[in-house]
Amino acid sequence: MYEFSNRLRGGVVQQAVAAGFQCIVSNQESWYLDNVGTTWKTFYANEPLFNIRKPQQKALVMGGEVCMWGERVD
């Protein structure tokens, strides 16, 4: 079993694909819709393939997930 780290931090996607795992990106700092201070530019500027150079590894990133709590939506 491959172990990443006890804490979520930058570079987890790169570690996962380097180990040969498929992954879905969920970036809490940039793609969390409840962060009131986050601008739309921050959402669009977040690149899930950042620092992944090998095409084989890029292909392992299946997409991204954006999180939001329901009580903040009308």
Side-chain angles (χ1 to χ4, degrees), residues 2-19 21-26 48 50 52 61:
Y2 189 82
E3 189 172 318
F4 297 111
S5 115
N6 293 336
R7 297 176 296 147
L8 290 178
R9 63 183 185 350
V12 173
V13 173
Q14 294 85 1
Q15 292 176 40
V17 298
F21 293 108
Q22 290 182 320
C23 66
I24 296 173
V25 178
S26 182
F50 181 72
I52 301 173
V61 178

Side-chain angles (χ1 to χ4, degrees), residues 51-65:
N51 280 338
I52 301 173
R53 307 213 190 293
K54 296 180 181 178
Q56 313 90 298
Q57 292 178 350
K58 287 182 179 184
L60 293 173
V61 178
M62 299 183 334
E65 172 192 35

Side-chain angles (χ1 to χ4, degrees), residues 7-54:
R7 297 176 296 147
L8 290 178
R9 63 183 185 350
V12 173
V13 173
Q14 294 85 1
Q15 292 176 40
V17 298
F21 293 108
Q22 290 182 320
C23 66
I24 296 173
V25 178
S26 182
N27 188 327
Q28 203 171 6
E29 290 81 29
S30 299
W31 285 354
Y32 191 66
L33 297 179
D34 290 356
N35 288 345
V36 181
T38 304
T39 66
W40 65 268
K41 291 179 182 180
T42 303
F43 285 101
Y44 282 98
N46 187 35
E47 174 54 59
L49 301 178
F50 181 72
N51 280 338
I52 301 173
R53 307 213 190 293
K54 296 180 181 178

